[in-house]
Amino acid sequence: MARKTTPRSRIEPSFERGKPKAAGRTVADERVAGRKPPAKRRKKAAPKARQAKAKTSRGRLARALRGLVYWSFVFAIWGGIGIAGIVAYYGARMPSAATWSIPDRPPNVKIMSVKGEIMANRGATGGEALLLGDMSPYIPEAVVAIEDRRFYSHFGVDPIGLARAMLANAMAGRMVQGGSTLTQQLAKNLFLSPERTIERKVQEVLLALWLEHKFAKDQILEMYLNRVFFGSGAYGVEAASRRYFRKPARDVTLAEAALLAGLLKAPSRLSPASNPKGAEARAQVVLAAMRDTGVVTDREATTALTSPQVRAKSYWSGSENYVADLVMDRITDLVGPVTEDLVVETTVDFQLQREAEKALKASLDANGAKFNVGQGALVSLDGTGAVRALIGGREYATSQFDRATEAKRQPGSAFKPFVYAAALEQGRTPQSVRNDAPVKIGKWTPENYDGKYRGEVSLSDALTYSLNTIAAQLVMEVGPKTVVKTAHRLGIEAKMQTNASIALGTSEVTLLELTSAYAPFMNGGYKATPHVIRRITTHAGKVLYENTYDNPPRVIDGAVAAMMNGMMVRVVNQGTGRKARLDGWQVAGKTGTSQSFRDALFVGYTANLVTGVWFGNDDGAPMKKVTGGGLPAETWKTYMQAAHAGLKPAGLPLGGPLPPVAIEGPASAADPMAELVRDLAPIPVSRDATGATSAGGLTPPADIGGPSAVGAQGQRTTLLDILMGN
């Protein structure tokens, strides 16, 4: 029986009307009916849902962005109002801008040699101020490249640089960049403290704007470079250049300029004196910045990168700093407080200073450990008392104590020339005879160095071989007070005890005063006041001080000086000072050794220079049998050979008649007329072309060093000549 089919319209009326399908209908039924299963219809509707959802998300994002922009403007307005309020508040607490002015830079004292070489700069900055054009052009280029690339385009504050620094710091989570411009840094250095507060930052910005309004860009950069700190006590490029490279800022190379600019980030931490590797690494960063900004080419940067690394010493070094210290100690007494840049012209010959430093250091390096010698000092003067070289110790970097001018030590037998000079002034002569034998003065019994006694000897022999017994006898004959007066007159300034032991140099003196007191023997009897300052001027050239030692007074008779020269020449040629002999030159001098070998000295002179050398230990510890005729005399010779190289030999004034009248009181009763007759002996007398003696007309010390009349025929002095005053 055939199946009866039902019309489609009758089977699914509910779908056509949009009504739910009948309960219990299966997927197969759906397929039979020619319709897709429900799952298929849902897959087709999903893209429409996503589109609706995306439209909803975009709407929300747009609303969020509009809200962000809105509130950003709101916060910006209120932030601006707040910042303006803060600026106004802290600005109101500052003095009126009409009263603002650039503070004076701390004064600098430029110390120069007698030939115009710069030996040192002293003051808070450590160097003089320079014009921008007087610096190496690499210096400002390097500083601008690494510190403030938009220096010439911003108005004192760099918003772009500030934003970049803030972003870099935020990404790093710590402070890695600074947003301050060079103008802001200058404002901070000139006016503000280094503390980090909102008030100081606001003031810094206001002052930077004022600086930009008041000064040109190059002026601001110039002030910055002359005041910024470069580490190791150096403020300004001139001080830093001399500190690290021992050269003026105008001679700085590209590599050196990069190193200086790199120090600005952390002057103490990156100083090449303490961290040469860190300084070099930072300099490479600066060179890369200079290349990026186009101020140097790739080739120039590469050449600079391969330059040898800078090796700076850990502290100011060089013996010239002893001279600089001496200048600074005395400058206020001459011109008062230093309130402006000054230029001090000294008497020091820089070449002699170097030779003296080399000689002293070589002796200590070679013999210091062997003989237990820790320190030494040297001072060299000309016949006017002008200091030509001064070494205050072994190494200035390790000890700034000046043993040439500040240390008072016993001179030992180096004091004996003043005893003999006092005796000659009272009528004795080099040929006067005394008995070298044990002598007792109160409870004191002086003994000779070798413990031997020679019987009758002349005064010349006694000084030549440094006999203590004869010196003690002479002190008692002329009186200790007379000896002290003579020493003071010739140049010793220290207070001395007026007792018999002064004959052996038991009163303490400085090396400088002892050496200067020998100069009257060398120059024919004139006072040689030791001085190191020739002239003091302002930076503009105004003379504030000029020394007046060109007309010294006579302090000892020329004949006495001549006899002393003759005796002390014998000390060097035949006696205790033989190791100080110089080929072709007449040398006079005297050795000195204090008790227990605590001090050893040699003071000697030619017609050009008088030089004293001392060796010992700061704590007074004994040396290992070092005497004045040993290490000091050898060092003296080394220095003086270098100092006299290439000079024509000149002789000392050795001639002159016997002194007819005592200068200091009456002649001693210990030297009667009968002895005077015995004393008469040939004394060489220098004569000019007319036959007149030169004893009464010796040239002032300023003329010392010319041709000598030494070697002229001598003349025998008779008793009748003395009695008649001839």
Side-chain angles (χ1 to χ4, degrees):
M1 184 172 177
R3 178 178 297 179
K4 188 183 287 186
T5 60
T6 303
R8 181 177 179 181
S9 59
R10 295 181 61 185
I11 295 175
E12 296 180 328
S14 60
F15 283 98
E16 293 179 354
R17 296 185 182 95
K19 294 181 180 180
K21 65 180 181 178
R25 189 175 295 263
T26 64
V27 173
D29 294 334
E30 293 287 344
R31 288 174 179 170
V32 172
R35 294 182 178 274
K36 294 181 180 180
K40 293 292 184 178
R41 291 200 300 272
R42 283 197 296 271
K43 287 182 181 180
K44 186 175 182 179
K48 293 183 179 181
R50 283 198 299 270
Q51 289 175 4
K53 186 176 180 180
K55 289 180 180 180
T56 302
S57 299
R58 284 196 295 271
R60 291 175 180 175
L61 180 61
R63 287 193 299 271
L65 288 175
R66 286 195 296 270
L68 179 62
V69 171
Y70 171 79
W71 286 110
S72 295
F73 276 110
V74 172
F75 287 134
I77 292 172
W78 283 107
I81 294 173
I83 292 173
I86 293 173
V87 171
Y89 172 73
Y90 288 120
R93 298 180 59 177
M94 297 177 66
S96 172
T99 64
W100 296 356
S101 62
I102 300 297
D104 292 334
R105 186 175 183 270
N108 177 73
V109 179
K110 181 166 65 174
I111 301 170
M112 306 180 69
S113 74
V114 71
K115 296 180 181 178
E117 303 153 300
I118 298 178
M119 296 197 299
N121 283 282
R122 287 300 168 89
T125 59
E128 62 183 317
L130 298 178
L131 297 174
L132 205 61
D134 293 335
M135 307 173 191
S136 166
Y138 293 125
I139 295 176
E141 291 173 349
V143 170
V144 170
I146 194 64
E147 291 292 319
D148 190 357
R149 294 188 182 187
R150 280 175 292 279
F151 171 71
Y152 284 99
S153 61
H154 63 62
F155 52 88
V157 179
D158 183 9
I160 298 176
L162 183 61
R164 184 192 68 247
M166 292 176 63
L167 179 61
N169 295 335
M171 293 179 64
R174 57 187 177 89
M175 181 68 71
V176 294
Q177 287 188 19
S180 295
T181 64
L182 289 179
T183 313
Q184 288 177 264
Q185 294 180 46
L186 176 62
K188 179 180 65 176
N189 293 339
L190 289 177
F191 304 104
L192 304 173
S193 64
E195 61 181 349
R196 295 185 176 184
T197 63
I198 296 177
E199 180 177 5
R200 191 201 63 78
K201 197 65 179 179
V202 170
Q203 292 173 347
E204 177 185 300
V205 171
L206 293 175
L207 289 167
L209 296 175
W210 175 79
L211 286 170
E212 291 280 347
H213 173 72
K214 190 78 173 178
F215 300 98
K217 287 287 188 179
D218 283 349
Q219 290 177 305
I220 293 172
L221 183 58
E222 184 179 287
M223 285 189 286
Y224 177 82
L225 292 174
N226 279 314
R227 296 170 186 256
V228 69
F229 181 55
F230 285 94
S232 298
Y235 289 83
V237 292
E238 179 69 5
S241 177
R242 293 190 179 278
R243 167 65 181 92
Y244 297 120
F245 314 129
R246 289 184 174 269
K247 63 170 66 172
R250 66 174 177 271
D251 297 333
V252 166
T253 65
L254 173 58
E256 293 166 344
L259 186 143
L260 291 180
L263 296 178
L264 299 177
K265 180 180 181 181
S268 299
R269 180 170 59 83
L270 295 176
S271 170
S274 58
N275 184 11
K277 291 184 178 179
E280 185 67 21
R282 179 63 178 170
Q284 294 180 8
V285 175
V286 175
L287 286 169
M290 296 179 72
R291 182 181 55 203
D292 293 342
T293 56
V295 294
V296 298
T297 63
D298 290 342
R299 182 177 180 181
E300 290 173 327
T302 302
T303 302
L305 286 171
T306 57
S307 298
Q309 292 187 0
V310 176
R311 296 292 181 184
K313 293 188 177 181
S314 60
Y315 193 77
W316 296 102
S317 60
S319 63
E320 64 272 13
N321 286 286
Y322 289 114
V323 178
D325 288 347
L326 182 60
V327 167
M328 296 306 296
D329 286 343
R330 299 186 175 182
I331 192 171
T332 53
D333 293 334
L334 301 177
V335 299
V338 178
T339 58
E340 60 180 319
D341 283 4
L342 298 179
V343 178
V344 178
E345 301 173 26
T346 71
T347 60
V348 173
D349 186 316
F350 215 167
Q351 181 60 36
L352 296 184
Q353 182 76 16
R354 295 189 189 98
E355 295 294 346
E357 181 180 13
K358 186 192 306 180
L360 190 74
K361 192 174 186 303
S363 293
L364 286 169
D365 289 346
N367 302 287
K370 178 180 179 182
F371 295 109
N372 191 37
V373 185
Q375 279 293 349
L378 183 152
V379 62
S380 186
L381 306 91
D382 66 14
T384 68
V387 175
R388 298 305 186 190
L390 186 145
I391 314 296
R394 183 172 191 163
E395 176 62 55
Y396 183 85
T398 57
S399 174
Q400 293 80 56
F401 179 66
D402 187 352
R403 296 154 189 83
T405 65
E406 297 180 83
K408 289 188 175 182
R409 310 299 289 256
Q410 291 185 353
S413 294
F415 187 81
K416 288 179 180 176
F418 309 115
V419 176
Y420 282 79
L424 295 182
E425 286 185 329
Q426 291 197 359
R428 294 153 188 81
T429 73
Q431 286 73 38
S432 295
V433 175
R434 295 293 182 273
N435 186 29
D436 178 22
V439 60
K440 186 174 183 180
I441 304 174
K443 296 182 179 180
W444 178 50
T445 303
E447 295 181 353
N448 294 325
Y449 171 74
D450 57 5
K452 299 178 181 179
Y453 300 97
R454 295 163 179 79
E456 290 190 349
V457 294
S458 68
L459 297 189
S460 180
D461 288 339
L463 186 62
T464 298
Y465 301 109
S466 197
L467 303 181
N468 293 337
T469 60
I470 304 302
Q473 292 177 47
L474 291 177
V475 167
M476 298 312 298
E477 290 177 16
V478 302
K481 290 184 179 180
T482 300
V483 173
V484 170
K485 288 181 180 179
T486 302
H488 281 159
R489 183 162 23 95
L490 268 64
I492 298 293
E493 296 180 350
K495 184 178 180 180
M496 293 178 284
Q497 297 179 346
T498 54
N499 53 33
S501 66
I502 196 174
L504 307 187
T506 54
S507 291
E508 296 178 340
V509 298
T510 66
L511 181 63
L512 177 62
E513 62 184 327
L514 178 66
T515 305
S516 67
Y518 272 60
F521 302 135
M522 175 257 273
N523 66 34
Y526 294 91
K527 180 68 178 289
T529 303
H531 58 281
V532 71
I533 298 176
R534 293 180 58 244
R535 185 183 296 109
I536 302 174
T537 65
T538 64
H539 191 70
K542 180 183 177 181
V543 178
L544 302 180
Y545 166 82
E546 194 162 6
N547 73 52
T548 56
Y549 300 120
D550 51 349
N551 291 306
R554 180 179 286 279
V555 293
I556 192 172
D557 189 272
V560 174
M563 288 187 286
M564 288 300 304
N565 288 335
M567 287 194 290
M568 284 195 280
V569 165
R570 284 195 66 199
V571 171
V572 175
N573 289 339
Q574 305 173 30
T576 58
R578 290 189 298 273
K579 291 184 179 180
R581 286 179 291 188
L582 294 178
D583 293 339
W585 286 86
Q586 280 186 337
V587 175
K590 185 66 185 76
T591 59
T593 309
S594 68
Q595 191 174 16
S596 301
F597 304 100
R598 289 186 173 88
D599 305 278
L601 305 94
F602 181 78
V603 183
Y605 53 91
T606 65
N608 289 341
L609 293 172
V610 54
T611 300
V613 178
W614 167 86
F615 283 104
N617 293 298
D618 288 338
D619 59 0
M623 296 176 286
K624 294 180 179 179
K625 295 186 177 181
V626 176
T627 65
L631 196 59
E634 293 170 353
T635 305
W636 185 95
K637 178 178 181 178
T638 301
Y639 161 70
M640 292 291 271
Q641 278 183 327
H644 288 73
L647 300 179
K648 183 178 180 181
L652 292 164
L654 299 177
L658 296 176
V661 181
I663 295 178
E664 288 285 339
S668 171
D671 201 14
M673 181 64 67
E675 188 173 8
L676 180 60
V677 176
R678 182 192 59 199
D679 289 342
L680 297 177
I683 303 295
V685 180
S686 299
R687 295 178 174 274
D688 58 21
T690 64
T693 65
S694 62
L698 294 172
T699 57
D703 297 325
I704 291 296
S708 173
V710 175
Q713 293 182 353
Q715 175 182 348
R716 190 177 186 84
T717 304
T718 66
L719 176 60
L720 179 61
D721 291 329
I722 297 176
L723 295 177
M724 296 299 293
N726 296 326

